[in-house]
């Protein structure tokens, strides 16, 4: 039977011209892109359109008729994809309807190929809907096909989104995992051998598929059997909501803290309490290392009482932890108030006054820098900013000399009655006053260390005790960082500013010494990078040396959110010594020449897991140090 399209084509006779013109414009484009052959002739090849299909299309264009009776189904399907490519929408619709209505058995017989082609071609809605209806009733049609693993992602998603898909949800999970693993053939076959990076790889591949699995319709037994082995694919809060359990062992501290704030937002009170307790109990050193950020976030989030109390206890003993931080001026008002209300805050009251004024002035950057230039309006502006803070300063515990030096310049901030009582207390201490007298702070008699001089202090101008605890954990291959009682002693061997910055200095001083850590502070960026070398350093050597335990690192700083560790993978190229100018950890860190005046040192990736810097540019250092690391006796 011949199908006529005259009605639609003849409605506008120009279509009889326009459609051929569309075809010809596409042919012209291909023709223009084709180069002349050796005979100065252009040969246009359209391998995706057969001669038979092309003849049918030409006849359709010029006659408005088409006959499918003598065409094989495979030719009709090729005609469909070619018509789609040439934007022959009327013919595309007709061919889809013809195949679904008259040749459904052939579509089913070639189902996987048809389904895949439809999603690669796009917009063949009639056949796509036909296929989805079949898959919903007979899912093995596609899932058990050899072509399943080559399905496009959007095709797989369209299937697992079907409400009437006749398949148990745990089986759908199996197929999704099978598809994802097929896209990453280098993943180990044995799941027990997988690293965190392997799970991250699979999670990245499946990121658009996983949200469409209906986890809450999987039985508890199947969860344990099917989902639990892939725990690291799940967002922790989703797993907790679903199973009531949570594993924190392999999560970075920053992820745990993000999980805490998200759980608080979702009102998961039990989980919020558990995560706070976990961080305070097991990861106190990380909290201290990121103290200002943690403290600020807690007060912005509100009601994280366990961590807030932990932070306040640290601030009380070591006030410089927050007051000398770059983030101090960005503290929320209620956080500052909670600090200056502490009875055991180990800080002289006049110093507390200084910090309150500093915070208030930072909120009003247009105030003149010189106090002599201030107008009454300037003082009113500052007083308004500090109205909730000023009542918590313990003015009557400031000496007369400091009152004159610190408070008098800001006289206009005080209510007249309070200022009169402050002065009256000095002139007539026994005379009653009406202003509230806050109790003196409980200052300890012993001199307390500040955060910048912890006890016992690692002998370094670059790294802190918390950094040393993290390095020691990496040496011992611990999954969680030591929080106190470092099992290792760090003995300073070389310091650039003391001993010289030439690489040769390392070889001269550290000859025949093993188990060393070299750290360097990069000029301009403040990055702290370095490496652990378990091997003996060998003076007058030019050779590669093998190690399975060396690693390189970049430590947490104000600019770097998390520390980075990169362990050796190319064992035979772990360490390279060249006494005259080179000290290398594979190609991950290359210390070369004079580290301060030169710019030849650089970081790469060869022989180690990953890069520890965001670029491979050469760098110089402002300081470097080498430590001998030994177990404490």
């Amino acid at each position: 039977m011949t199908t006529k399209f005259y009605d639609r084509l003849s409605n506008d006779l120009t279509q009889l011209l326009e459609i051929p013109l569309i075809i010809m414009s596409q042919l012209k484009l291909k023709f223009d892109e084709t180069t002349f052959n050796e005979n100065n002739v252009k040969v246009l090849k359209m391998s995706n359109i057969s001669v038979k299909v092309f003849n049918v299309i030409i006849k359709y264009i010029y006659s408005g008729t088409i006959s499918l009776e003598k065409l094989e189904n495979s030719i009709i399907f090729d005609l469909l994809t070619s018509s789609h490519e040439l934007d022959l929408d009327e013919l595309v619709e007709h061919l889809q309807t013809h195949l679904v209505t008259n040749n459904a058995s052939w579509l089913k017989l070639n189902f996987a190929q048809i389904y895949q082609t439809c999603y690669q071609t796009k917009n063949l809605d009639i056949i796509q809907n036909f296929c989805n209806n079949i898959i919903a009733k007979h899912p093995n049609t596609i899932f058990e096909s050899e072509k399943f693993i080559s399905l496009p992602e959007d095709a797989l998603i369209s299937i697992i989104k079907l409400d009437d898909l006749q398949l148990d949800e745990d089986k759908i999970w199996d197929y999704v995992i099978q598809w994802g693993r097929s896209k990453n053939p280098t993943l180990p076959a044995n799941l027990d051998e997988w690293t965190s990076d392997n799970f991250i790889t699979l999670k990245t591949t499946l990121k658009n598929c996983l949200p469409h699995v209906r986890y809450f319709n999987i039985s508890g037994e199947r969860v344990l059997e099917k989902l639990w082995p892939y725990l690291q694919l799940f967002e922790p809060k989703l797993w907790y909501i679903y199973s009531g359990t949570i594993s924190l062992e392999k999560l970075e501290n920053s992820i745990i803290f993000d999980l805490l704030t998200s759980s608080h937002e979702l009102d998961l009170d039990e989980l919020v309490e558990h995560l706070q307790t976990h961080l305070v109990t097991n990861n106190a050193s990380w909290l201290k290392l990121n103290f200002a950020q943690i403290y600020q976030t807690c007060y912005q989030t509100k009601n994280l009482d366990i961590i807030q109390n932990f932070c306040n206890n640290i601030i009380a003993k070591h006030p410089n932890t927050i007051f000398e931080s770059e983030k101090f001026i960005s503290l929320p008002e209620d956080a500052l108030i909670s600090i200056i209300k502490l009875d055991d805050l180990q800080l002289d009251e006049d110093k507390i006054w200084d910090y309150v004024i500093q915070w208030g002035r930072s909120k009003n950057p247009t105030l003149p820098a010189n106090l002599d230039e201030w107008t009454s309006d300037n003082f009113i502006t500052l007083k308004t900013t500090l109205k909730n803070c000023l009542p918590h300063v313990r003015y009557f515990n400031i000496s007369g000399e400091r009152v004159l030096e610190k408070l008098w310049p800001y006289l206009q901030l005080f209510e007249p009655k309070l200022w009169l009582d402050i002065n009256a207390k000095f002139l007539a201490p026994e005379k009653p006053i009406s202003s509230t007298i806050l109790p003196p702070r409980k200052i300890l008699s012993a001199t307390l260390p500040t955060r910048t001089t912890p006890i016992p202090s690692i002998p370094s101008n670059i790294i802190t005790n918390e950094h040393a605890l993290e390095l020691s954990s990496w040496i011992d291959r611990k999954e969680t960082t030591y929080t106190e009682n470092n099992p290792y002693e760090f003995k300073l061997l070389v310091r650039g500013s003391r001993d010289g910055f030439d690489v040769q200095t390392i070889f001269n001083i550290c000859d025949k010494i093993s188990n060393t850590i070299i750290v360097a502070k990069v000029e301009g960026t403040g990055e702290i990078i370095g490496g652990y070398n378990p091997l003996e350093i060998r003076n007058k050597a030019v050779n590669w040396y093998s190690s399975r335990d060396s690693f390189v690192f970049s430590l947490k700083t104000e600019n770097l959110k998390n520390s980075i560790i990169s362990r050796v993978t190319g064992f035979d190229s772990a360490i390279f010594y060249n006494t005259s100018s080179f000290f290398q950890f594979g190609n991950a860190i290359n210390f070369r020449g004079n580290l301060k005046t030169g710019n030849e040192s650089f970081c790469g990736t060869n022989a180690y897991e990953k890069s520890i810097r965001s670029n491979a540019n050469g760098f110089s250092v402002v300081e470097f140090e080498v430590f001998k690391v030994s177990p404490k006796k």
Side-chain angles (χ1 to χ4, degrees):
M1 177 180 178
T2 300
T3 303
K4 300 179 180 180
F5 293 90
Y6 294 120
D7 291 339
R8 290 175 64 177
L9 284 173
S10 61
N11 285 339
D12 184 354
L13 294 176
T14 59
Q15 290 188 40
L16 293 172
L17 295 174
E18 289 173 355
I19 294 176
L21 287 175
I22 292 171
I23 305 300
M24 293 307 297
S25 66
Q26 294 188 5
L27 294 177
K28 184 178 185 303
L29 180 63
K30 293 180 180 294
F31 187 78
D32 290 342
E33 293 173 348
T34 304
T35 58
F36 288 99
N37 63 16
E38 64 275 8
N39 298 319
N40 202 33
V41 174
K42 287 190 176 185
V43 179
L44 184 60
K45 296 181 180 180
M46 300 179 68
S47 58
N48 57 327
I49 301 180
S50 67
V51 173
K52 182 176 286 189
V53 168
F54 191 75
N55 287 336
V56 174
I57 290 175
I58 292 296
K59 184 176 181 180
Y60 162 75
I61 291 171
Y62 286 101
S63 70
T65 63
I66 192 168
S67 177
L68 304 175
E69 290 180 0
K70 297 181 180 180
L71 295 180
E72 297 176 3
N73 290 319
S74 59
I75 299 297
I76 296 175
F77 192 74
D78 290 344
L79 176 60
L80 168 61
T81 56
S82 299
S83 301
H84 179 275
E85 184 178 346
L86 296 172
D87 295 323
L88 302 175
D89 297 337
E90 183 183 16
L91 184 56
V92 167
E93 181 179 344
H94 173 72
L95 293 172
Q96 287 186 87
T97 303
H98 173 84
L99 286 168
V100 169
T101 305
N102 303 306
N103 300 93
S105 59
W106 180 84
L107 291 175
K108 292 176 184 178
L109 192 62
N110 299 272
F111 187 84
Q113 176 190 349
I114 299 297
Y115 192 68
Q116 187 176 31
T117 303
C118 280
Y119 269 90
Q120 289 170 339
T121 305
K122 308 289 186 186
N123 301 323
L124 299 183
D125 297 335
I126 297 174
I127 288 185
Q128 285 176 9
N129 291 336
F130 170 82
C131 291
N132 281 338
N133 287 332
I134 292 176
I135 291 171
K137 297 174 183 176
H138 309 287
N140 284 356
T141 305
I142 192 70
F143 287 118
E144 295 300 324
S145 163
E146 292 180 359
K147 294 186 178 291
F148 165 63
I149 60 175
S150 59
L151 271 185
E153 180 188 57
D154 54 353
L156 176 60
I157 291 173
S158 76
I159 295 172
I160 62 178
K161 287 174 67 175
L162 292 171
D163 289 332
D164 55 347
L165 184 59
Q166 301 299 300
L167 203 61
D168 290 337
E169 205 65 33
D170 63 289
K171 193 63 179 172
I172 294 172
W173 168 260
D174 288 341
Y175 286 124
V176 169
I177 294 295
Q178 178 188 343
W179 183 88
R181 291 183 68 161
S182 73
K183 303 300 177 188
N184 300 282
T186 60
L187 291 174
N190 187 348
L191 205 60
D192 294 335
E193 299 174 4
W194 279 34
T195 65
S196 294
D197 287 342
N198 294 145
F199 284 102
I200 290 172
T201 298
L202 183 59
K203 185 176 181 179
T204 302
T205 300
L206 295 177
K207 65 179 180 179
N208 296 321
C209 299
L210 293 176
H212 303 292
V213 178
R214 307 184 185 189
Y215 304 100
F216 297 97
N217 295 319
I218 301 177
S219 69
E221 182 181 350
R222 293 302 185 199
V223 167
L224 191 62
E225 177 188 347
K226 301 293 184 70
L227 273 59
W228 178 259
Y230 292 93
L231 175 61
Q232 292 187 57
L233 299 186
F234 292 89
E235 295 301 321
K237 60 187 176 186
L238 172 63
W239 183 262
Y240 173 78
I241 293 170
Y242 176 73
S243 68
T245 64
I246 194 162
S247 175
L248 304 177
E249 290 180 4
K250 297 183 179 180
L251 296 182
E252 296 178 3
N253 292 318
S254 59
I255 299 297
I256 296 174
F257 191 74
D258 289 344
L259 174 60
L260 169 60
T261 55
S262 298
S263 301
H264 180 274
E265 186 177 342
L266 294 170
D267 294 324
L268 302 175
D269 296 338
E270 184 180 10
L271 182 56
V272 167
E273 181 177 350
H274 172 70
L275 293 172
Q276 289 187 86
T277 302
H278 172 83
L279 285 167
V280 168
T281 304
N282 302 309
N283 301 93
S285 62
W286 181 83
L287 292 174
K288 293 174 184 176
L289 193 62
N290 300 270
F291 188 84
Q293 176 192 347
I294 298 296
Y295 192 67
Q296 186 176 30
T297 303
C298 281
Y299 271 90
Q300 289 170 338
T301 305
K302 308 290 185 186
N303 301 323
L304 298 182
D305 296 336
I306 296 174
I307 289 186
Q308 285 175 10
N309 290 336
F310 170 83
C311 291
N312 281 339
N313 287 334
I314 291 176
I315 291 172
K317 296 174 183 175
H318 308 287
N320 283 356
T321 304
I322 194 70
F323 287 118
E324 295 300 323
S325 163
E326 293 179 0
K327 294 184 180 292
F328 165 63
I329 60 175
S330 60
L331 272 184
E333 181 189 56
D334 54 354
L336 176 61
I337 291 173
S338 75
I339 295 172
I340 62 177
K341 287 174 67 174
L342 292 171
D343 288 332
D344 55 347
L345 184 59
Q346 302 297 299
L347 206 60
D348 291 337
E349 205 66 36
D350 63 291
K351 192 63 177 172
I352 294 172
W353 168 261
D354 289 339
Y355 286 124
V356 170
I357 294 296
Q358 177 189 343
W359 183 88
R361 292 183 66 161
S362 73
K363 303 301 177 188
N364 301 282
T366 60
L367 291 174
N370 186 347
L371 207 60
D372 295 335
E373 300 173 5
W374 280 34
T375 65
S376 295
D377 286 343
N378 295 146
F379 283 103
I380 290 171
T381 297
L382 183 60
K383 184 176 181 178
T384 302
T385 299
L386 294 176
K387 65 179 180 180
N388 296 320
C389 299
L390 293 175
H392 303 291
V393 179
R394 307 187 183 189
Y395 304 103
F396 297 97
N397 297 310
I398 301 177
S399 69
E401 182 181 349
R402 295 301 185 198
V403 167
L404 187 63
E405 177 189 348
K406 301 291 183 71
L407 273 56
W408 173 259
Y410 291 94
L411 174 61
Q412 294 186 55
L413 299 185
F414 293 89
E415 296 299 324
K417 186 68 174 69
L418 175 59
W419 184 250
L420 180 63
D421 285 344
I422 291 173
N423 286 277
K425 198 65 178 171
F426 291 115
L427 297 172
E430 302 302 324
K431 184 180 179 179
I433 59 176
S434 59
S435 297
T436 301
I437 301 178
L438 296 173
R441 302 191 192 269
K442 301 171 184 175
I443 303 296
L444 301 177
S445 57
T447 302
L448 291 170
T450 65
R451 180 172 171 76
T452 54
T453 55
I455 297 178
S457 176
I458 185 170
S460 175
N461 292 338
I462 302 176
I463 62 175
T464 65
N465 272 3
E466 285 76 16
H467 286 140
L469 285 165
E470 190 167 35
L471 291 169
S472 297
S473 303
W474 291 340
I475 291 172
D476 288 346
R477 296 182 180 270
K478 295 290 186 183
E479 291 187 358
T480 56
T481 303
Y482 290 125
T483 57
E484 56 185 356
N485 300 327
N486 196 327
Y488 292 102
E489 176 185 359
F490 283 61
K491 180 182 178 182
L492 181 65
L493 301 178
V494 181
R495 174 173 290 153
S497 58
R498 183 189 70 187
D499 305 305
F501 284 89
D502 283 328
V503 168
Q504 188 171 357
T505 303
I506 301 174
F507 292 102
N508 292 340
I509 297 177
C510 303
D511 186 32
K512 296 184 174 61
I513 297 177
S514 59
N515 300 314
T516 54
I517 284 180
I518 180 170
V519 293
K521 190 168 186 178
V522 178
E523 175 75 39
T525 67
E527 295 167 279
I528 300 175
I529 62 174
Y532 169 68
N533 178 14
L535 308 178
E536 278 191 359
I537 295 176
R538 303 187 182 190
N539 199 0
K540 303 189 184 306
V542 181
N543 205 355
W544 285 102
Y545 294 92
S546 176
S547 168
R548 291 178 174 269
D549 297 314
S550 59
F551 57 82
V552 295
F553 54 82
S554 183
L555 296 178
K556 159 77 182 181
T557 63
E558 285 289 335
N559 296 323
L560 182 64
K561 187 175 181 181
N562 294 305
S563 297
I564 300 170
I565 177 175
S566 177
R567 295 191 181 276
V568 63
T569 54
F571 304 134
D572 292 336
S573 302
I575 305 292
F576 182 75
Y577 299 140
N578 183 332
T579 304
S580 62
S581 57
F582 297 168
F583 191 118
Q584 296 182 204
F585 290 81
N587 197 35
I589 294 185
N590 295 260
F591 291 115
R592 299 192 170 201
N594 188 295
L595 302 182
K596 188 174 182 67
T597 61
N599 199 35
E600 300 174 356
S601 299
F602 65 93
C603 292
T605 56
N606 289 354
Y608 285 77
E609 290 175 324
K610 54 193 171 186
S611 177
I612 59 170
R613 296 193 75 212
S614 59
N615 63 67
N617 296 340
F619 63 85
S620 58
V621 307
V622 295
E623 183 67 284
F624 87 93
E625 296 168 336
V626 181
F627 298 92
K628 165 70 175 176
V629 182
S630 306
K632 287 182 178 177
K633 298 179 181 178

